Amino acid sequence: ISSDGVLSTTDEDTSLLATAALRRSKEALILVDSSKIGISSFVEYGKLESGKFTLVTDSGIDPVLLQKYRKNGVQVLIADK
């Protein structure tokens, strides 16, 4: 997930599957390790949207990005041990 909320992956097949799933979903739960947040990959397939997405990550998320996503209406849950 890029710093501006763009969702991306490393291969075309995964992006096609993710795109289809997101188009058919009213809500989406995105589970991502904090080390992957703020980094863009090769193939974009969506963007975090207010009300539709819940981002679940660990407490290692950059506080600036956490605030930015929440300010844009994305629910962010921190799941640690």
Side-chain angles (χ1 to χ4, degrees), residues 37-54:
I37 297 175
I39 298 172
S40 297
S41 198
F42 302 109
V43 186
E44 295 179 5
Y45 64 87
K47 186 168 182 172
L48 294 177
E49 299 173 19
S50 174
K52 180 172 183 168
F53 289 91
T54 299

Side-chain angles (χ1 to χ4, degrees), residues 16-33:
L16 292 172
L17 177 63
T19 298
L22 289 176
R23 283 187 182 149
R24 290 172 176 77
S25 301
K26 291 181 182 179
E27 297 178 22
L29 184 67
I30 306 293
L31 178 63
V32 62
D33 184 273

Side-chain angles (χ1 to χ4, degrees), residues 3-79:
S3 60
D4 62 351
V6 174
L7 305 168
S8 59
T9 187
T10 57
D11 66 273
E12 186 75 24
D13 289 338
T14 302
S15 79
L16 292 172
L17 177 63
T19 298
L22 289 176
R23 283 187 182 149
R24 290 172 176 77
S25 301
K26 291 181 182 179
E27 297 178 22
L29 184 67
I30 306 293
L31 178 63
V32 62
D33 184 273
S34 65
S35 68
K36 304 290 185 184
I37 297 175
I39 298 172
S40 297
S41 198
F42 302 109
V43 186
E44 295 179 5
Y45 64 87
K47 186 168 182 172
L48 294 177
E49 299 173 19
S50 174
K52 180 172 183 168
F53 289 91
T54 299
L55 176 62
V56 181
T57 191
D58 59 88
S59 61
I61 186 172
D62 180 330
V64 173
L65 292 179
L66 174 62
Q67 174 113 2
K68 182 177 182 177
Y69 296 151
R70 285 181 170 163
K71 183 180 177 186
N72 289 332
V74 176
Q75 182 177 10
V76 182
L77 303 176
I78 306 299

